[in-house]
Amino acid sequence: MVEKIIILDFGSQVTQLIGRRLREINVYCEIYPYNKVPVLDESVKGVILSGSPCSVRDANAPQVDLTLLRGKRPLLGICYGAQYLAHTGGGKVEASNTREYGRAKLRVVADSPLLKGVPAETQVWMSHGDSISVLPAGAHVIASTADVVNAAFQFADEPTYAVQFHPEVYHTAEGSRMLANFALDICGCTGNWTPDSFIETTVENLRKQIGDERVILGLSGGVDSTVAGVLLNKAVGSQLTCIFVNNGLLRKNEFEDVLASYKDMGLNVIGADASADFLTALSEVSEPEAKRKIIGRLFVETFDKYARQIENARWLAQGTIYPDVIESAGIPGIASKIKSHHNVGGLPKEMNLKIVEPLRMLFKDEVRRVGRALGIKEELVGRHPFPGPSLAIRIIGDITEEKLAILREADDIFIRGLRSYDCTGMGFPCASDPRVMATNLYDAIWQAGVILLPVKSVGVMGDERTYENPVALRAVVSTDAMTADWFPFPYDFLRDVSNEIIRKVRGVNRVVYDISSKPPATIEWE
């Protein structure tokens, strides 16, 4: 049994960071919408109530039945969660005369297990307009700021705590310590959730879930599907058949290269060329969500077709990871769905296969840790993420063979340039393992690619006027794809790769670099 902390999400944009901080101390956690409280079985050691863009004073504010939680397990309310504990407990929450956003100095005013080891004064990050003016019965203040007296409080007769700041964000200096105090000391978690323990538990659960039935897995060559494949192979062995689909939207030579990379891994892999089906279905389709739905549907239909050829095939395995789930879900009326992902959207009702997703609760860096523990070679574990819809969402607008050819060549030049640029001594850590310094730009970057833009611009080549497409380079650093920042390229690299793309790729006469972070932008343009 894996011990865990449950996080109830009220729609905050940084709820996932609570999970990240807990997992960094080897405490497993799961995030649920506030209106879908799971059963608190023996594995649940504590519950955290997240922040929210809503006010507890709103008529339609998200609510949860606290009788299911209070006194049953240790409870921590963060921001909205703290205000909800006060509001429902008979305290008073009102619009603050002085709204607090950004850094604030927290002053500890009383001893508390939550603040054990926290200095008497420390920096925290505030983000709220309402404030708790009167504490609920049985609660007492444990920390204040200059503008918020009840910045943190606890209840005397139960392990329930609340903070009006965000301990999960980087700018709260002692935030990780506070969350560790809650998870390890107050909840009693042992902090034993490691890659090895995840592998052991997952393999056992996969064997129980799948039984003696056969599984087909869509391999892409990326780290997610590769780790999923090796985990499944470890669990059910010859019951697994892997299918790598050529959807006609892959990068240059990718179909052949990916098949070659799996030859020595003991996986049963079939190459399926369905490119004509995908390109026909996507003809004249420009809307991003429509592209994703079409590609998701065709992936499943392709697997279903091959499943009929495999006796006793009952399961479709996918390399879905947690950011895919979070971005595709959203809480109706509170948290927006950012985009659908092919692994978690577009599945037709008549699909003849059951879904198994062994990585569904992992962030990308955790997948890589598991991959290394499984002994997967670094060239696969450290490979950049690549979107499931492939180049379809890196061509803005409709998709044609001509556009795909242009994008493949530009992307190939960009990626080869990243791999060949020696950045030894420049201080860039490896994106896949920050403990190691990168020796080339590819390893220093989380994800990179080229986007073909749906406009044309005037240029001059050999004294002749051109009217061709610009392409945008995209390269970001991240840890889990939930947030990302643009990569600070050396100027000579940008100069050289721009010149090479313009000289060698017919149809491109301008190169730009996207310096947008996530949020507010997403990593992919569509």
Side-chain angles (χ1 to χ4, degrees):
M1 180 181 66
V2 179
E3 60 185 23
K4 60 192 173 188
I5 300 291
I6 295 299
I7 302 169
L8 295 183
D9 183 16
F10 289 89
S12 169
Q13 294 298 309
V14 292
T15 297
Q16 308 87 294
L17 291 180
I18 305 172
R20 293 287 313 124
R21 297 296 173 257
L22 291 175
R23 293 186 186 192
E24 285 170 0
I25 56 172
N26 296 330
V27 172
Y28 180 65
C29 62
E30 293 180 356
I31 300 174
Y32 290 85
Y34 72 93
N35 55 355
K36 295 183 179 179
V37 181
V39 175
L40 301 185
D41 59 25
E42 292 181 2
S43 68
V44 179
K45 301 299 182 182
V47 179
I48 295 176
L49 308 179
S50 84
S52 174
C54 301
S55 166
V56 297
R57 299 178 295 108
D58 294 341
N60 59 347
Q63 300 183 40
V64 64
D65 184 358
L66 289 178
T67 62
L68 300 173
L69 306 172
R70 285 189 60 175
K72 306 293 193 302
R73 295 291 188 278
L75 189 61
L76 172 62
I78 295 176
C79 201
Y80 178 92
Q83 294 169 0
Y84 190 75
L85 284 169
H87 180 70
T88 56
K92 187 175 182 180
V93 179
E94 55 188 347
S96 175
N97 292 327
T98 305
R99 295 186 175 189
E100 279 206 321
Y101 293 99
R103 295 175 178 84
K105 183 174 289 186
L106 186 77
R107 180 170 48 87
V108 177
V109 299
D111 291 337
S112 169
L114 185 68
L115 303 179
K116 185 182 71 174
V118 174
E121 290 191 350
T122 184
Q123 175 182 287
V124 296
W125 187 264
M126 293 284 191
S127 181
H128 61 91
D130 289 351
S131 192
I132 301 168
S133 56
V134 179
L135 290 179
H140 64 273
V141 64
I142 57 176
S144 305
T145 71
D147 296 311
V148 179
V149 174
N150 301 312
F153 60 93
Q154 70 179 60
F155 288 81
D157 299 324
E158 61 181 271
T160 299
Y161 303 82
V163 296
Q164 288 199 81
F165 53 88
H166 287 275
E168 69 272 27
V169 303
Y170 173 79
H171 298 293
T172 296
E174 298 291 331
S176 293
R177 184 191 297 271
M178 297 174 197
L179 290 173
N181 286 343
F182 177 73
L184 300 177
D185 296 342
I186 297 170
C187 297
C189 293
T190 57
N192 62 357
W193 190 70
T194 64
D196 287 333
S197 67
F198 172 82
I199 292 168
E200 180 181 354
T201 302
T202 302
V203 166
E204 179 182 349
N205 291 339
L206 287 171
R207 287 171 178 162
K208 291 178 182 177
Q209 183 180 11
I210 295 168
D212 60 358
E213 296 175 331
R214 296 189 65 85
V215 188
I216 57 175
L217 165 69
L219 284 176
S220 67
V223 63
D224 301 336
S225 65
T226 298
V227 172
V230 175
L231 269 174
L232 283 159
N233 190 51
K234 189 177 181 68
V236 299
S238 60
Q239 294 168 231
L240 173 67
T241 299
C242 301
I243 301 170
F244 178 44
V245 176
N246 181 3
N247 58 13
L249 305 164
L250 301 177
R251 290 171 290 193
K252 186 175 181 180
N253 300 326
E254 188 164 21
F255 187 56
E256 298 78 12
D257 292 346
V258 168
L259 287 176
S261 69
Y262 287 119
K263 281 185 177 179
D264 61 349
M265 295 182 65
L267 298 177
N268 177 26
V269 183
I270 297 172
D273 188 354
S275 55
D277 295 335
F278 280 82
L279 294 178
T280 298
L282 289 166
S283 176
E284 299 183 0
V285 177
S286 298
E287 205 278 321
E289 279 292 283
K291 292 180 186 178
R292 290 175 179 272
K293 294 293 185 182
I294 289 170
I295 292 168
R297 173 178 59 82
L298 286 176
F299 263 115
V300 174
E301 290 179 0
T302 301
F303 293 141
D304 198 32
K305 172 183 175 181
Y306 277 84
R308 289 195 295 268
Q309 303 172 23
I310 301 172
E311 186 178 355
N312 200 32
R314 297 290 182 270
W315 294 90
L316 171 65
Q318 298 189 136
T320 311
I321 63 173
Y322 215 9
D324 300 339
V325 177
I326 293 168
E327 284 196 339
S328 298
I331 299 175
I334 298 176
S336 300
K337 180 175 81 170
I338 299 170
K339 63 181 73 168
S340 63
H341 289 258
H342 78 288
N343 283 346
V344 288
L347 305 180
K349 294 180 180 179
E350 68 272 14
M351 188 184 70
N352 297 324
L353 298 170
K354 297 175 286 186
I355 300 294
V356 58
E357 298 169 310
L359 308 178
R360 186 179 178 86
M361 300 306 292
L362 297 187
F363 290 93
K364 179 71 74 173
D365 58 323
E366 294 169 334
V367 175
R368 287 194 168 109
R369 289 173 61 196
V370 169
R372 292 187 178 100
L374 287 166
I376 299 173
K377 51 193 175 184
E378 191 62 31
E379 66 186 74
L380 288 173
V381 173
R383 195 175 189 218
H384 286 184
F386 187 60
S390 308
L391 298 181
I393 58 169
R394 291 184 178 174
I395 294 175
I396 311 303
D398 66 318
I399 298 162
T400 67
E401 289 279 12
E402 180 185 8
K403 291 178 181 178
L404 283 166
I406 291 172
L407 183 54
R408 285 191 181 104
E409 291 302 320
D411 184 80
D412 183 59
I413 290 171
F414 185 36
I415 298 302
R416 283 192 292 103
L418 295 177
R419 291 187 183 278
S420 63
Y421 190 97
D422 185 354
C423 66
T424 303
M426 291 186 177
F428 296 131
C430 282
S432 64
D433 187 354
R435 298 168 299 180
V436 180
M437 300 309 293
T439 58
N440 63 74
L441 289 179
Y442 184 89
D443 289 344
I445 290 168
W446 166 269
Q447 183 170 338
V450 177
I451 298 91
L452 181 63
L453 304 183
V455 296
K456 290 190 175 183
S457 67
V458 174
V460 177
M461 292 185 185
D463 295 328
E464 294 184 1
R465 178 185 183 273
T466 62
Y467 192 55
E468 297 176 334
N469 293 90
V471 294
L473 309 181
R474 183 70 161 143
V476 298
V477 287
S478 181
T479 56
D480 52 31
M482 299 312 305
T483 60
D485 202 0
W486 56 279
F487 184 79
F489 276 124
Y491 290 142
D492 62 330
F493 172 80
L494 289 174
R495 178 197 63 208
D496 293 345
V497 77
S498 173
N499 288 341
E500 186 173 359
I501 288 173
I502 291 172
R503 285 190 297 107
K504 293 184 177 179
V505 182
R506 189 174 296 275
V508 174
N509 67 351
R510 193 178 298 270
V511 175
V512 299
Y513 183 40
D514 178 357
I515 57 170
S516 309
S517 62
K518 176 186 179 180
T522 53
I523 295 176
E524 297 292 343
W525 281 40
E526 289 192 342

